[in-house]
Structures are given as C-alpha cells and as structure tokens.
Amino acid sequence: MDIVVYVHGKGGSAAEAEHYRAFFPDAKVLGLDYQTFTPWETGNEIREIVRDLYEKYDNVVLIANSIGAFFSMCGGIDAYVKQAYFISPVVDMETLITNMMQWAQVTEKDLEEQGVIPTEFGEALSWEYLSYVRSHPIQWTVPTQILYGGHDNLTDYVTMQAFADNHDADLTVMEAGEHWFHTEEQRQFLDDWLWRVKGM
C-alpha cells in the first residue's frame, strides 16, 4: 500500500489531509502535524517521520502547501519520496526574507546585531534563520508537480518558473489564483489540477 503524506502551510493543520483522501482511494492519507517552525528543526522532524513511513509502505507520496513544501525540501527526504505535489510552495526563502526586511525597513546590519526583530505584519525576522537559509541551498530531486497562483504575494512567477526549470518539476499556473487557494473557483481549479496531474 502507498501512503500520502500531507504537510500543511502556516496557519494550516494536519486535518486538511482529509480533503485529499478522495484523490488517493487506494492509499493511506496522513496529515503531518509538525511541532517546530524552523527549517533545521522541522526538516529533521519531517525526515524522521517520512523515513519511518518509507520502511513500512510501498511508496511515499508528498503533498505540501506553502512553507510546508519548503520545510519538506529542507528535510533531505528525496530518497524516500516517489512523487510530490506542491501547492503555492515557498521555493526561495532567502528572497522572501529579504523582501520582508525591505517591507519592515530592516537592514542586514540591524538584523545581525539584534538577532530577532518583530514586524508589524506579524512575522519575526531572524538572523539565524536567514543565515541558515543562505548556507543550506535547496537540493530537491523528487519528480514534482507545482500549482501556482498568478497573484501569489510571496513568490513571483519568474522565481517559481526558475525553480521548476532547475528541479524536475512541472508548473501549472492559475492566473487568477492567490497564494492561498481558498475561493470556490480556486479550490475547484486545485482539485481539477490534482486529478489531471495525478494521472501523468
């Protein structure tokens, strides 16, 4: 039997995995409820779970949303995952962090000196986090299908296309989509996309 592992994004939950059961009726579907929130901790957490599942099931399939995709790629799980489906993945965390620094008018010197700087938009900037991302570039070799919204406010199209080109990934764009696929039209597009690419 195969197992489908769902890794949620920020503010999401493992319960979202329930939505994907209909797409994989012959597999077990598991929502991964990670407890940490840094690429080094969460990556290790995901790797330990996926490695254990790899030993128990025929194949491991990954569905990951937003930062859940980033954390998964930080886990070094390539050898354990047969296929991945990414929804609005964060694929260039360094650029995202430096963009947030610009929004918050925080310089690299400020961040290095203070270590952690809270922002008005709810994200704490961390020098340790930025330094880790810079010293650990993404390595990802799993065959991957990506769904991206044309109005994604976290990752621009050029960055997403470059990632797809450089990492055995096929990119599908919903021009009217956002980072969070939440409207009825967007959710339907997501479902249609998954049905289509699952057969590829």
Side-chain angles (χ1 to χ4, degrees):
M1 176 181 280
D2 292 353
I3 186 161
V4 177
V5 179
Y6 173 77
V7 184
H8 65 81
K10 182 181 179 183
S13 76
E16 295 169 10
E18 188 67 29
H19 178 76
Y20 298 97
R21 292 188 192 281
F23 297 90
F24 299 91
D26 298 323
K28 180 173 181 179
V29 178
L30 172 71
L32 199 155
D33 191 17
Y34 54 88
Q35 303 298 310
T36 55
F37 300 96
T38 62
W40 54 94
E41 293 173 306
T42 315
N44 287 338
E45 193 176 345
I46 292 171
R47 181 172 64 252
E48 289 179 8
I49 293 171
V50 170
R51 183 174 55 199
D52 182 57
L53 294 172
Y54 173 79
E55 295 174 355
K56 297 177 180 177
Y57 291 87
D58 295 329
N59 295 295
V60 178
V61 175
L62 175 69
I63 301 176
N65 202 318
S66 187
I67 199 171
F70 171 69
F71 286 150
S72 297
M73 290 189 288
C74 289
I77 59 174
D78 301 47
Y80 311 125
V81 178
K82 180 182 180 181
Q83 176 72 44
Y85 302 92
F86 286 172
I87 303 159
S88 302
V90 173
V91 297
D92 187 343
M93 182 59 80
E94 180 181 356
T95 296
L96 179 55
I97 292 173
T98 54
N99 285 344
M100 289 193 293
M101 289 169 63
Q102 291 177 357
W103 302 337
Q105 297 183 318
V106 171
T107 66
E108 286 208 17
K109 183 179 179 183
D110 293 335
L111 191 56
E112 184 175 11
E113 290 177 350
Q114 297 183 46
V116 177
I117 299 178
T119 67
E120 293 182 353
F121 47 84
E123 296 287 349
L125 297 168
S126 162
W127 179 253
E128 182 182 20
Y129 201 126
L130 177 58
S131 299
Y132 180 89
V133 168
R134 284 177 169 167
S135 61
H136 295 80
I138 291 295
Q139 304 290 331
W140 186 247
T141 59
V142 177
T144 301
Q145 295 285 344
I146 299 174
L147 177 60
Y148 171 77
H151 296 289
D152 192 314
N153 62 335
L154 297 186
T155 305
D156 62 47
Y157 171 76
V158 172
T159 299
M160 191 64 71
Q161 184 64 66
F163 176 86
D165 290 343
N166 293 325
H167 297 82
D168 195 16
D170 292 322
L171 177 62
T172 298
V173 180
M174 180 185 183
E175 295 297 344
E178 301 167 79
H179 183 73
W180 177 31
F181 279 69
H182 66 287
T183 68
E184 184 176 349
E185 180 185 12
Q186 291 166 357
R187 289 164 66 91
Q188 186 61 55
F189 192 100
L190 188 161
D191 288 354
D192 292 344
W193 163 77
L194 189 52
W195 279 121
R196 178 174 59 82
V197 299
K198 197 172 76 70
M200 296 174 67

